[in-house]
Each structure stands twice: as C-alpha cells, then as structure tokens.
Amino acid sequence: MLAVGQPLLSANALHAATDDLFCATQKEDFYRYQLPERDTITLDLDLQQRGLGGDNSWGAMPHEGFRLDVWRSAIVTG
C-alpha cells in the first residue's frame, strides 16, 4: 500500500481496530491493557485536519490563527 499526501499526510497504525479504542459508555476508565490481542494492523489515514487545539474536544473549531483551512488531496493505492 502506498499513501501520498499532497503536500502532507496524517496517519497512524495500531494493533487495535478503531472500534476497540472507544469505551462502551464514555464514562468508564479505559486502559491499553483492556484492548483485545490482535494480529492485524489498522491503518488510519486522516482526510482532513482542522488545526491545532481548540476550546473543547467535541466540535469547537480551533482559534483562527491555528486553523488549517486548505483542503489538500491524498492518493492511496494498494
């Protein structure tokens, strides 16, 4: 697989599925040792980033000086 950002790309690869990373209730504690053992690797490619930081983690936009306003495309083959 080849993924190329134009000009940049944000990605991560984990031995956990995306669904493994979310708690059942969002109120319980969640730790790495609670993740199931997996032989696979999940590759996450971000389509777009909003910028750096923000006033909360549930939807507020980052402050204007920290926003990434330009949409760039990415090419994924494989």
Side-chain angles (χ1 to χ4, degrees), residues 7-72:
L8 302 173
L9 177 68
S10 176
N12 68 53
L14 302 170
H15 281 286
T18 304
D19 289 342
D20 295 341
L21 302 176
F22 293 94
C23 299
T25 66
Q26 296 297 320
K27 293 181 180 179
E28 60 195 64
D29 291 331
F30 185 67
Y31 300 100
R32 168 72 177 98
Y33 71 87
Q34 294 172 307
L35 293 174
E37 294 288 326
R38 298 202 184 274
D39 292 329
T40 59
I41 296 174
T42 300
L43 176 64
D44 292 315
L45 303 174
D46 295 332
L47 173 63
Q48 180 182 13
Q49 290 189 351
R50 295 171 133 186
L52 178 68
D55 291 334
N56 62 39
S57 61
W58 55 88
M61 291 293 292
H63 295 267
E64 191 167 337
F66 298 96
R67 290 182 190 164
L68 301 173
D69 292 326
V70 179
W71 260 63
R72 301 265 204 259

